[in-house]
């Protein structure tokens, strides 16, 4: 049975900030220490990020909860107001990305049987998976699950869950949604980890449609672009020997407090080859590398560790440049770029990998395939019934 990812949709907030604009806001903080200023300049200027998007309107409107209206001093609201913004804005991004994914997949909302969501930047209940069912007008019997707090790597476990659902239920069509509004936890701080977090994280949402339904029979019909899909072929997970204290976060009084030490790129560089060895043994040569851009230095270390040509991670670097690190949504942005690339050839092997708290290495393999219309669930059930009768 072939399980395919047949469409991806992405969304970002309307407010875009240049990296230099955000840097200068932090450098303008009153009484900033010279060492802190040097750390800010280094983190922002070496990030390989040109712009990011945010749900925080204050940066565009001139002030509010997160920014003093006249002085432009960065405020530090409590966790409550930050999470209220998450609960208000994250569902909008999720819905937009999901509707685009459905359109790109050529799938009607009524065909969705399962919803899998992932997010790590806020809380509300009923949760993101419930809101998608309601906001998209899906059948209330749609099965739902939410993956929380697996960080930047969460898209891969979410796709793995969809893959397993489809392997056990050939009538299933699963909507996977990853939405993060990282910017709501931005704060002014002399702590190097917080400076790096404020320099790289951004907001965005992405959704994917996954199904095992066979291609539709009869006359071919026109499908939305792009003309490619991905056959999901396997998943692997591994924990590195250290890193538990290097990538983590907790809920503080003023938002989520991020730990992202300089050891993370070194750990990735040292251990990723062994973590991915089982994947490479199974698949052989990789034609397309989809690597989560946790930061420029992580991509640099990964490239060196895997002996890759500098062009291998160009998609990851381009998404980082234009959008920053959108945590779990970022890998799907890169996959969307891959599916839209006319030079991506049918049959090419794809490795998808991302790094999460722990330090965890989550990976998936896929194969580029041609897009085809898929049969309805009713057609699949009818065929199964006919087969059983015979």
């Amino acid at each position: 049975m072939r399980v395919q990812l047949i469409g991806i949709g992405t969304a970002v907030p309307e407010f875009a900030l240049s990296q230099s604009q955000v840097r200068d806001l932090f450098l303008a903080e009153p009484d900033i220490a010279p060492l802190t200023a040097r750390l800010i300049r280094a983190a922002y200027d070496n990030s390989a990020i040109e712009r990011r998007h945010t749900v925080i309107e204050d940066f565009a409107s001139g002030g509010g909860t997160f920014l003093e209206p006249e002085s432009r001093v960065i405020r530090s609201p409590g966790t409550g107001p930050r999470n209220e913004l998450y609960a208000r804005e994250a569902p909008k991004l999720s819905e937009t990305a999901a509707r685009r994914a459905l359109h790109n997949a050529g799938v009607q909302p009524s065909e969705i049987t399962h919803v899998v969501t992932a997010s790590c930047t806020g809380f509300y209940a009923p949760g993101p998976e419930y809101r998608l069912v309601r906001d998209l007008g899906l059948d209330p019997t749609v099965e739902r699950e939410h993956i929380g707090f697996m960080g930047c790597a969460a898209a891969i476990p979410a796709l793995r869950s969809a893959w397993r659902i489809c392997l056990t239920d050939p009538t299933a069509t699963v909507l996977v949604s990853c939405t993060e509004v990282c910017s709501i936890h931005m704060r002014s701080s002399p702590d190097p980890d917080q400076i790096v977090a404020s320099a790289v994280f951004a907001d965005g949402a992405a959704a994917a449609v996954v199904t095992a339904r066979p291609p539709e029979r009869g006359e071919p019909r026109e499908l939305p672009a792009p003309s490619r899909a991905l056959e999901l072929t396997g998943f692997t997970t591994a924990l590195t020997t250290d890193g538990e204290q290097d990538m983590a976060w907790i809920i503080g009084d003023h938002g989520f407090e991020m730990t992202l030490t300089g050891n993370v790129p070194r750990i990735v560089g040292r251990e990723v080859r062994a973590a991915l060895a089982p994947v490479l043994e199974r698949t052989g040569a990789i034609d397309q590398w989809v690597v989560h851009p946790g930061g420029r230095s992580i991509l640099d270390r990964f490239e060196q560790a895997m002996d890759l040509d500098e062009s291998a991670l160009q998609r990851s670097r381009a998404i980082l440049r234009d959008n920053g690190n959108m945590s779990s949504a970022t890998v799907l942005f890169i996959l969307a770029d891959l599916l839209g690339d006319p030079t991506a050839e049918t049959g090419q092997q794809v490795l998808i990998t991302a790094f999460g708290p722990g330090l965890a290495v989550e990976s998936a393999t896929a194969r580029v395939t041609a897009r085809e219309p898929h049969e309805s669930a009713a057609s699949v059930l009818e065929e199964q019934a006919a087969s059983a009768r015979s």
Side-chain angles (χ1 to χ4, degrees):
M1 184 185 300
R2 294 201 313 166
V3 178
Q4 289 187 298
L5 189 164
I6 60 173
I8 295 177
T10 63
V12 292
E14 62 176 301
F15 307 114
L17 301 171
S18 70
Q19 190 71 327
S20 59
Q21 180 183 356
V22 186
R23 178 202 63 201
D24 293 345
L25 274 175
F26 280 95
L27 287 174
E29 289 290 280
D31 303 320
I32 187 171
L35 175 58
T36 301
R38 287 198 298 273
L39 291 173
I40 290 171
R41 288 192 181 92
Y44 282 79
D45 295 346
N46 297 317
S47 66
I49 297 170
E50 293 182 5
R51 68 170 185 172
R52 293 178 283 160
H53 295 83
T54 178
V55 298
I56 302 174
E57 186 177 358
D58 299 1
F59 294 113
S61 65
T65 304
F66 288 80
L67 204 64
E68 292 283 355
E70 295 185 9
S71 66
R72 305 282 288 171
V73 170
I74 297 172
R75 287 175 165 173
S76 185
T79 301
R82 295 176 191 265
N83 195 66
E84 286 173 9
L85 188 57
Y86 172 86
R88 183 169 71 247
E89 298 297 332
K92 300 176 188 176
L93 287 172
S94 297
E95 181 183 357
T96 300
R99 289 194 183 279
R100 289 172 180 169
L102 292 171
H103 170 78
N104 292 337
V107 167
Q108 297 299 315
S110 59
E111 297 178 71
I112 297 298
T113 60
H114 299 72
V115 169
V116 180
T117 59
S119 186
C120 65
T121 45
F123 289 95
Y124 58 86
E129 79 296 340
Y130 174 96
R131 283 294 303 269
L132 266 184
V133 170
R134 193 194 75 178
D135 295 346
L136 296 174
L138 305 184
D139 192 300
T141 63
V142 164
E143 296 182 19
R144 302 169 286 110
E145 62 182 79
H146 179 67
I147 296 172
F149 287 87
M150 292 190 76
C152 296
I156 296 175
L159 290 173
R160 182 175 62 216
S161 181
W163 179 65
R164 287 176 174 166
I165 289 168
C166 292
L167 287 176
T168 58
D169 181 359
T171 69
T173 299
V174 186
L175 177 64
V176 174
S177 170
C178 299
T179 301
E180 307 289 5
V181 286
C182 308
S183 69
I184 64 171
H185 302 294
M186 190 181 292
R187 66 169 62 78
S188 179
S189 171
D191 180 72
D193 293 346
Q194 294 300 322
I195 291 172
V196 171
S198 294
V200 301
F201 285 107
D203 303 350
V209 177
V210 177
T211 189
R213 285 167 19 201
E216 189 176 66
R217 298 172 182 176
E219 290 296 320
R221 58 185 171 89
E222 187 174 345
L223 282 168
S227 60
R228 291 162 190 77
L230 288 173
E231 180 187 353
L232 300 174
T233 56
F235 291 82
T236 305
T237 188
L239 298 180
T240 59
T241 55
D242 62 4
E244 188 173 348
Q245 307 303 318
D246 294 290
M247 185 190 293
W249 69 95
I250 61 170
I251 300 171
D253 293 336
H254 297 277
F256 296 174
E257 297 176 6
M258 186 73 187
T259 298
L260 191 65
T261 75
N263 286 329
V264 171
R266 288 192 285 273
I267 295 169
V268 169
R270 185 180 67 237
E271 303 207 22
V272 71
R273 196 175 189 92
L276 295 179
V279 183
L280 299 176
E281 288 173 9
R282 184 176 72 237
T283 61
I286 299 299
D287 303 299
Q288 299 282 351
W289 295 83
V290 176
V291 181
H292 172 74
R296 180 194 56 79
S297 56
I298 289 177
L299 292 178
D300 290 346
R301 293 282 184 149
F302 186 96
E303 188 178 278
Q304 294 165 10
M306 303 304 294
D307 297 323
L308 299 180
D309 183 86
E310 62 179 13
S311 64
L313 303 185
Q314 61 182 350
R315 296 186 201 280
S316 298
R317 295 187 189 278
I319 295 299
L320 180 68
R321 179 193 66 221
D322 296 337
N323 298 277
N325 179 349
M326 298 168 287
S327 191
S328 67
T330 319
V331 156
L332 292 178
F333 272 72
I334 304 168
L335 286 176
D337 182 74
L338 170 61
L339 293 182
D341 184 353
T343 67
E345 298 177 3
T346 300
Q348 286 189 329
Q349 293 282 354
V350 182
L351 176 66
I352 309 159
T353 191
F355 315 103
L359 194 98
V361 182
E362 299 284 353
S363 302
T365 52
R367 185 180 298 110
V368 178
T369 61
R371 278 285 308 281
E372 298 177 278
H374 284 72
E375 290 185 353
S376 67
S379 298
V380 176
L381 287 172
E382 288 171 7
E383 185 172 330
Q384 286 182 323
S387 177
R389 287 194 297 270
S390 63

